Amino acid sequence: MAASSDSPFLRRLVPRIGLIIAALLALAWMQRPDGRLHVFLPVLKGDAALVQTPSGRHLLIDGGADPDALVTAMGRHLPFWQRELALVVVTSLDGQRLPGQVAALERYRVQRALIPPAAAPGALFDAWRQALAHHATPVHALRAGQRLEIDGVTLHVLDCNDQGALLRLDYGATSVVFAHSATPDLLERHADRRASLIVYPWQHDPHAPLIESLRPAAIVYSDGYQTRHTPQQTYHERTIGGARLYHERVDGDIEWISNGRRAWIVTSVQAVQ
C-alpha cells in the first residue's frame, strides 16, 4: 500500500529533498562563470592545463601521466553538470601528457582535438583516437600560425614539430605561453608580444632567446619534459627580468586568472596559509 501524504516517511523525506535541492543550487551558484579566464595547473605527474573561458567553456591542454589525478582535478574545477570540453590539445604524444587525457576523454565529450603533425601509432594513442571516434570528434594536426578563437580567447600555435609545440593563449592584454613540451630548436626564436605567464620545463635553461624576448611577468616551471641534462641552477639564477617563479612542488596547485586587463596567480599553498 502506498504511503499517505501525512506518513512519517514522507514527513522525513520532503525536508531532505529540499536540503539536497538547496545544496545543488548553492553549488551551481558557486561554480558559475565569473567572466574571467582561468588556467589551472594542478599538481600531478607530467603536464596538464585546464582552461576555463570567461563564459564557462573548457579546454584541456595535455593530461599528465596520472589519469586518476587529472580526473580528480577536473572534478574539482568543472561544474558538476559540465560534461563537455570545447577543445583538447596534445603537445607531445608521450607518457607525460597522454595517459591523463585518455582518461578525460572517457568521461567528457570533446568538440575538437589537436595533435602534433606526425602521430606515431601506439597503444596510448590508439586509445586516445578511439575515445574521440566514439563521439565523432574531428581531429586536426597542429601547425605553425594556426589560430582558434573560443569565447573571446584566442589560441595561437606559435610553432610546432613532431616532438613538441609552442602555444599562446591570449585574452585581452594578457597571455599565457605554454612551452612545457618545447624542444630546444623551438626556443630559438623571438616573441612578438610580452607574456603574462610562461609554463616552461624545469629541465631547460630559461635564458633562451624566446623566453628572454617574452619578458614574462611570471614563470611556472614544469617537470613534464624529461632529459638527463637538467641545468643546475637556483631559483635566483632562473629568474628572467624579475619574473615571479612558481613550481608545483613548492606552490601546489597553481591558478592563473585574467580579466583581460591584468592577471594574477593563486596557489593552493597560499590558500592553506
Short mmCIF file of all heavy atoms in Angstrom, two decimals, residues 185-226:
data_model
loop_
_atom_site.label_atom_id
_atom_site.label_comp_id
_atom_site.label_asym_id
_atom_site.label_seq_id
_atom_site.Cartn_x
_atom_site.Cartn_y
_atom_site.Cartn_z
N ASP A 185 65.15 23.50 -30.25
CA ASP A 185 65.10 24.25 -31.51
C ASP A 185 63.88 25.16 -31.57
O ASP A 185 63.91 26.20 -32.24
CB ASP A 185 65.10 23.29 -32.70
CG ASP A 185 63.94 22.30 -32.65
OD1 ASP A 185 63.82 21.59 -31.63
OD2 ASP A 185 63.16 22.25 -33.61
N LEU A 186 62.79 24.81 -30.86
CA LEU A 186 61.62 25.69 -30.85
C LEU A 186 61.84 26.92 -29.98
O LEU A 186 61.08 27.89 -30.09
CB LEU A 186 60.39 24.92 -30.33
CG LEU A 186 59.88 23.77 -31.20
CD1 LEU A 186 58.64 23.15 -30.57
CD2 LEU A 186 59.59 24.24 -32.61
N LEU A 187 62.83 26.89 -29.11
CA LEU A 187 63.11 28.02 -28.24
C LEU A 187 64.04 29.03 -28.89
O LEU A 187 64.28 30.10 -28.34
CB LEU A 187 63.71 27.53 -26.93
CG LEU A 187 62.83 26.56 -26.13
CD1 LEU A 187 63.59 26.00 -24.94
CD2 LEU A 187 61.55 27.23 -25.68
N GLU A 188 64.56 28.71 -30.09
CA GLU A 188 65.47 29.63 -30.78
C GLU A 188 64.69 30.57 -31.68
O GLU A 188 64.86 30.62 -32.88
CB GLU A 188 66.50 28.82 -31.59
CG GLU A 188 67.39 27.94 -30.76
CD GLU A 188 68.23 28.74 -29.77
OE1 GLU A 188 68.73 29.82 -30.15
OE2 GLU A 188 68.38 28.30 -28.62
N ARG A 189 63.81 31.34 -31.08
CA ARG A 189 63.00 32.30 -31.82
C ARG A 189 62.68 33.47 -30.90
O ARG A 189 63.01 33.45 -29.71
CB ARG A 189 61.71 31.66 -32.34
CG ARG A 189 60.85 31.03 -31.24
CD ARG A 189 59.46 30.70 -31.74
NE ARG A 189 58.73 31.93 -32.04
CZ ARG A 189 57.82 32.04 -33.01
NH1 ARG A 189 57.56 31.02 -33.78
NH2 ARG A 189 57.18 33.17 -33.21
N HIS A 190 62.04 34.48 -31.42
CA HIS A 190 61.70 35.65 -30.63
C HIS A 190 60.19 35.86 -30.65
O HIS A 190 59.51 35.57 -31.64
CB HIS A 190 62.42 36.90 -31.16
CG HIS A 190 63.91 36.83 -31.01
ND1 HIS A 190 64.56 37.26 -29.88
CD2 HIS A 190 64.87 36.36 -31.84
CE1 HIS A 190 65.86 37.06 -30.02
NE2 HIS A 190 66.07 36.52 -31.21
N ALA A 191 59.67 36.34 -29.54
CA ALA A 191 58.23 36.54 -29.41
C ALA A 191 57.81 37.89 -29.97
O ALA A 191 58.60 38.82 -30.05
CB ALA A 191 57.83 36.43 -27.94
N ASP A 192 56.52 37.98 -30.34
CA ASP A 192 56.00 39.23 -30.89
C ASP A 192 55.24 40.05 -29.85
O ASP A 192 54.76 41.13 -30.15
CB ASP A 192 55.11 38.97 -32.10
CG ASP A 192 53.94 38.04 -31.77
OD1 ASP A 192 53.87 37.56 -30.62
OD2 ASP A 192 53.11 37.80 -32.66
N ARG A 193 55.10 39.53 -28.65
CA ARG A 193 54.46 40.30 -27.58
C ARG A 193 54.87 39.72 -26.24
O ARG A 193 55.33 38.57 -26.15
CB ARG A 193 52.92 40.27 -27.71
CG ARG A 193 52.30 38.90 -27.59
CD ARG A 193 50.78 38.96 -27.62
NE ARG A 193 50.22 39.52 -26.39
CZ ARG A 193 48.91 39.68 -26.19
NH1 ARG A 193 48.06 39.35 -27.14
NH2 ARG A 193 48.48 40.16 -25.06
N ARG A 194 54.72 40.52 -25.20
CA ARG A 194 55.10 40.08 -23.87
C ARG A 194 54.09 39.06 -23.33
O ARG A 194 52.90 39.12 -23.65
CB ARG A 194 55.19 41.28 -22.92
CG ARG A 194 55.66 40.91 -21.54
CD ARG A 194 55.82 42.11 -20.65
NE ARG A 194 56.40 41.73 -19.36
CZ ARG A 194 56.64 42.57 -18.37
NH1 ARG A 194 56.37 43.86 -18.51
NH2 ARG A 194 57.17 42.14 -17.24
N ALA A 195 54.57 38.14 -22.51
CA ALA A 195 53.70 37.12 -21.91
C ALA A 195 53.45 37.45 -20.44
O ALA A 195 54.37 37.80 -19.71
CB ALA A 195 54.32 35.74 -22.02
N SER A 196 52.21 37.32 -20.01
CA SER A 196 51.90 37.47 -18.59
C SER A 196 52.44 36.27 -17.81
O SER A 196 52.88 36.40 -16.67
CB SER A 196 50.39 37.56 -18.38
OG SER A 196 49.84 38.58 -19.18
N LEU A 197 52.39 35.10 -18.45
CA LEU A 197 52.85 33.87 -17.81
C LEU A 197 53.44 32.96 -18.87
O LEU A 197 52.94 32.90 -20.01
CB LEU A 197 51.68 33.15 -17.13
CG LEU A 197 51.93 31.74 -16.60
CD1 LEU A 197 52.88 31.77 -15.40
CD2 LEU A 197 50.62 31.06 -16.22
N ILE A 198 54.50 32.24 -18.51
CA ILE A 198 55.01 31.18 -19.37
C ILE A 198 55.13 29.91 -18.55
O ILE A 198 55.60 29.94 -17.41
CB ILE A 198 56.36 31.54 -20.02
CG1 ILE A 198 56.87 30.37 -20.89
CG2 ILE A 198 57.40 31.91 -18.98
CD1 ILE A 198 58.02 30.73 -21.79
N VAL A 199 54.63 28.80 -19.10
CA VAL A 199 54.79 27.49 -18.49
C VAL A 199 55.98 26.85 -19.19
O VAL A 199 55.95 26.63 -20.42
CB VAL A 199 53.53 26.63 -18.65
CG1 VAL A 199 53.70 25.29 -17.95
CG2 VAL A 199 52.31 27.37 -18.10
N TYR A 200 57.03 26.56 -18.43
CA TYR A 200 58.33 26.25 -19.02
C TYR A 200 58.96 25.05 -18.31
O TYR A 200 58.84 24.90 -17.09
CB TYR A 200 59.24 27.48 -18.88
CG TYR A 200 60.54 27.39 -19.64
CD1 TYR A 200 60.55 27.56 -21.02
CD2 TYR A 200 61.74 27.16 -18.98
CE1 TYR A 200 61.74 27.48 -21.72
CE2 TYR A 200 62.93 27.09 -19.69
CZ TYR A 200 62.92 27.24 -21.06
OH TYR A 200 64.09 27.17 -21.76
N PRO A 201 59.65 24.16 -19.05
CA PRO A 201 60.23 22.97 -18.40
C PRO A 201 61.41 23.30 -17.50
O PRO A 201 62.32 24.04 -17.88
CB PRO A 201 60.66 22.10 -19.59
CG PRO A 201 60.82 23.04 -20.73
CD PRO A 201 59.82 24.13 -20.51
N TRP A 202 61.39 22.76 -16.31
CA TRP A 202 62.48 22.93 -15.35
C TRP A 202 63.80 22.42 -15.93
O TRP A 202 64.88 22.91 -15.60
CB TRP A 202 62.13 22.19 -14.06
CG TRP A 202 63.18 22.28 -12.99
CD1 TRP A 202 64.15 21.36 -12.70
CD2 TRP A 202 63.36 23.36 -12.07
NE1 TRP A 202 64.91 21.80 -11.64
CE2 TRP A 202 64.45 23.02 -11.24
CE3 TRP A 202 62.70 24.57 -11.85
CZ2 TRP A 202 64.90 23.86 -10.21
CZ3 TRP A 202 63.14 25.40 -10.83
CH2 TRP A 202 64.23 25.03 -10.03
N GLN A 203 63.72 21.44 -16.83
CA GLN A 203 64.91 20.81 -17.37
C GLN A 203 65.61 21.65 -18.43
O GLN A 203 66.66 21.26 -18.93
CB GLN A 203 64.56 19.44 -17.97
CG GLN A 203 64.19 18.40 -16.92
CD GLN A 203 62.72 18.49 -16.51
OE1 GLN A 203 62.01 19.42 -16.89
NE2 GLN A 203 62.26 17.55 -15.71
N HIS A 204 65.04 22.81 -18.81
CA HIS A 204 65.68 23.69 -19.78
C HIS A 204 66.24 24.93 -19.08
O HIS A 204 65.67 25.40 -18.08
CB HIS A 204 64.68 24.16 -20.84
CG HIS A 204 64.39 23.14 -21.89
ND1 HIS A 204 65.30 22.20 -22.32
CD2 HIS A 204 63.28 22.93 -22.64
CE1 HIS A 204 64.76 21.46 -23.27
NE2 HIS A 204 63.52 21.89 -23.47
N ASP A 205 67.31 25.45 -19.63
CA ASP A 205 67.83 26.74 -19.18
C ASP A 205 66.87 27.83 -19.64
O ASP A 205 66.58 27.94 -20.84
CB ASP A 205 69.22 26.97 -19.79
CG ASP A 205 69.89 28.24 -19.27
OD1 ASP A 205 69.19 29.10 -18.69
OD2 ASP A 205 71.10 28.37 -19.47
N PRO A 206 66.33 28.64 -18.74
CA PRO A 206 65.37 29.66 -19.16
C PRO A 206 65.98 30.82 -19.94
O PRO A 206 65.26 31.62 -20.53
CB PRO A 206 64.79 30.16 -17.82
CG PRO A 206 65.87 29.91 -16.84
CD PRO A 206 66.54 28.63 -17.29
N HIS A 207 67.30 30.91 -19.95
CA HIS A 207 67.95 32.01 -20.66
C HIS A 207 68.07 31.67 -22.15
O HIS A 207 69.16 31.57 -22.71
CB HIS A 207 69.30 32.31 -20.04
CG HIS A 207 69.21 32.71 -18.60
ND1 HIS A 207 68.88 33.98 -18.20
CD2 HIS A 207 69.34 31.98 -17.47
CE1 HIS A 207 68.84 34.04 -16.87
NE2 HIS A 207 69.12 32.84 -16.40
N ALA A 208 66.92 31.47 -22.76
CA ALA A 208 66.83 31.17 -24.19
C ALA A 208 66.25 32.39 -24.91
O ALA A 208 65.55 33.21 -24.30
CB ALA A 208 65.93 29.95 -24.40
N PRO A 209 66.53 32.55 -26.21
CA PRO A 209 66.04 33.73 -26.93
C PRO A 209 64.54 33.95 -26.79
O PRO A 209 64.09 35.08 -26.57
CB PRO A 209 66.44 33.43 -28.38
CG PRO A 209 67.65 32.55 -28.26
CD PRO A 209 67.39 31.70 -27.04
N LEU A 210 63.76 32.88 -26.89
CA LEU A 210 62.31 33.03 -26.80
C LEU A 210 61.90 33.55 -25.44
O LEU A 210 61.10 34.50 -25.32
CB LEU A 210 61.62 31.69 -27.07
CG LEU A 210 60.11 31.70 -26.84
CD1 LEU A 210 59.41 32.55 -27.87
CD2 LEU A 210 59.54 30.28 -26.84
N ILE A 211 62.41 32.96 -24.38
CA ILE A 211 61.99 33.32 -23.03
C ILE A 211 62.39 34.76 -22.72
O ILE A 211 61.60 35.53 -22.15
CB ILE A 211 62.60 32.36 -22.00
CG1 ILE A 211 62.31 30.90 -22.39
CG2 ILE A 211 62.06 32.64 -20.61
CD1 ILE A 211 60.86 30.62 -22.66
N GLU A 212 63.58 35.13 -23.10
CA GLU A 212 64.03 36.50 -22.81
C GLU A 212 63.23 37.52 -23.60
O GLU A 212 62.93 38.61 -23.11
CB GLU A 212 65.53 36.61 -23.10
CG GLU A 212 66.37 35.78 -22.11
CD GLU A 212 67.86 35.94 -22.34
OE1 GLU A 212 68.25 36.36 -23.45
OE2 GLU A 212 68.63 35.62 -21.41
N SER A 213 62.83 37.17 -24.83
CA SER A 213 62.02 38.11 -25.61
C SER A 213 60.58 38.19 -25.12
O SER A 213 59.90 39.19 -25.33
CB SER A 213 62.05 37.73 -27.10
OG SER A 213 61.41 36.48 -27.32
N LEU A 214 60.11 37.13 -24.45
CA LEU A 214 58.75 37.16 -23.89
C LEU A 214 58.64 38.11 -22.70
O LEU A 214 57.56 38.59 -22.39
CB LEU A 214 58.35 35.75 -23.45
CG LEU A 214 57.94 34.77 -24.54
CD1 LEU A 214 57.86 33.36 -23.99
CD2 LEU A 214 56.62 35.17 -25.17
N ARG A 215 59.74 38.31 -21.99
CA ARG A 215 59.76 39.16 -20.78
C ARG A 215 58.58 38.82 -19.86
O ARG A 215 57.76 39.67 -19.52
CB ARG A 215 59.72 40.64 -21.16
CG ARG A 215 60.92 41.10 -21.95
CD ARG A 215 60.80 42.54 -22.43
NE ARG A 215 59.80 42.65 -23.48
CZ ARG A 215 58.71 43.40 -23.39
NH1 ARG A 215 58.47 44.10 -22.29
NH2 ARG A 215 57.85 43.45 -24.38
N PRO A 216 58.47 37.55 -19.44
CA PRO A 216 57.28 37.13 -18.69
C PRO A 216 57.18 37.79 -17.32
O PRO A 216 58.18 38.03 -16.66
CB PRO A 216 57.48 35.62 -18.55
CG PRO A 216 58.96 35.44 -18.61
CD PRO A 216 59.45 36.47 -19.57
N ALA A 217 55.94 38.05 -16.91
CA ALA A 217 55.70 38.56 -15.56
C ALA A 217 55.83 37.43 -14.54
O ALA A 217 56.17 37.67 -13.38
CB ALA A 217 54.32 39.20 -15.47
N ALA A 218 55.56 36.19 -14.98
CA ALA A 218 55.65 35.03 -14.08
C ALA A 218 56.03 33.80 -14.90
O ALA A 218 55.70 33.71 -16.09
CB ALA A 218 54.32 34.80 -13.36
N ILE A 219 56.72 32.88 -14.24
CA ILE A 219 57.09 31.61 -14.87
C ILE A 219 56.65 30.48 -13.94
O ILE A 219 56.95 30.49 -12.75
CB ILE A 219 58.61 31.51 -15.10
CG1 ILE A 219 59.12 32.64 -15.99
CG2 ILE A 219 58.96 30.16 -15.72
CD1 ILE A 219 60.64 32.67 -16.13
N VAL A 220 55.92 29.51 -14.50
CA VAL A 220 55.60 28.29 -13.79
C VAL A 220 56.49 27.19 -14.37
O VAL A 220 56.41 26.90 -15.57
CB VAL A 220 54.12 27.90 -13.93
CG1 VAL A 220 53.88 26.51 -13.36
CG2 VAL A 220 53.23 28.91 -13.22
N TYR A 221 57.32 26.61 -13.54
CA TYR A 221 58.21 25.55 -14.01
C TYR A 221 57.50 24.20 -13.96
O TYR A 221 56.80 23.88 -13.01
CB TYR A 221 59.49 25.52 -13.18
CG TYR A 221 60.46 26.60 -13.59
CD1 TYR A 221 60.67 27.72 -12.79
CD2 TYR A 221 61.15 26.52 -14.79
CE1 TYR A 221 61.55 28.72 -13.17
CE2 TYR A 221 62.03 27.52 -15.19
CZ TYR A 221 62.23 28.62 -14.38
OH TYR A 221 63.10 29.60 -14.77
N SER A 222 57.72 23.43 -15.03
CA SER A 222 57.05 22.14 -15.21
C SER A 222 58.07 21.01 -15.18
O SER A 222 59.21 21.18 -15.62
CB SER A 222 56.32 22.16 -16.55
OG SER A 222 56.08 20.86 -17.03
N ASP A 223 57.64 19.84 -14.71
CA ASP A 223 58.52 18.67 -14.66
C ASP A 223 58.23 17.67 -15.77
O ASP A 223 58.80 16.58 -15.79
CB ASP A 223 58.36 17.96 -13.31
CG ASP A 223 59.26 18.58 -12.24
OD1 ASP A 223 60.29 19.15 -12.60
OD2 ASP A 223 58.89 18.50 -11.07
N GLY A 224 57.34 18.00 -16.69
CA GLY A 224 56.91 17.01 -17.68
C GLY A 224 57.91 16.70 -18.76
O GLY A 224 57.85 15.63 -19.37
N TYR A 225 58.83 17.60 -19.05
CA TYR A 225 59.83 17.35 -20.09
C TYR A 225 61.00 16.60 -19.47
O TYR A 225 61.60 17.06 -18.50
CB TYR A 225 60.32 18.68 -20.69
CG TYR A 225 61.24 18.52 -21.87
CD1 TYR A 225 60.73 18.44 -23.16
CD2 TYR A 225 62.62 18.45 -21.71
CE1 TYR A 225 61.56 18.28 -24.26
CE2 TYR A 225 63.45 18.29 -22.80
CZ TYR A 225 62.92 18.20 -24.07
OH TYR A 225 63.75 18.04 -25.15
N GLN A 226 61.34 15.44 -20.03
CA GLN A 226 62.35 14.58 -19.44
C GLN A 226 63.67 14.67 -20.20
O GLN A 226 63.69 14.54 -21.42
CB GLN A 226 61.86 13.13 -19.42
CG GLN A 226 60.59 12.92 -18.62
CD GLN A 226 60.76 13.27 -17.16
OE1 GLN A 226 61.69 12.81 -16.50
NE2 GLN A 226 59.85 14.09 -16.64
#
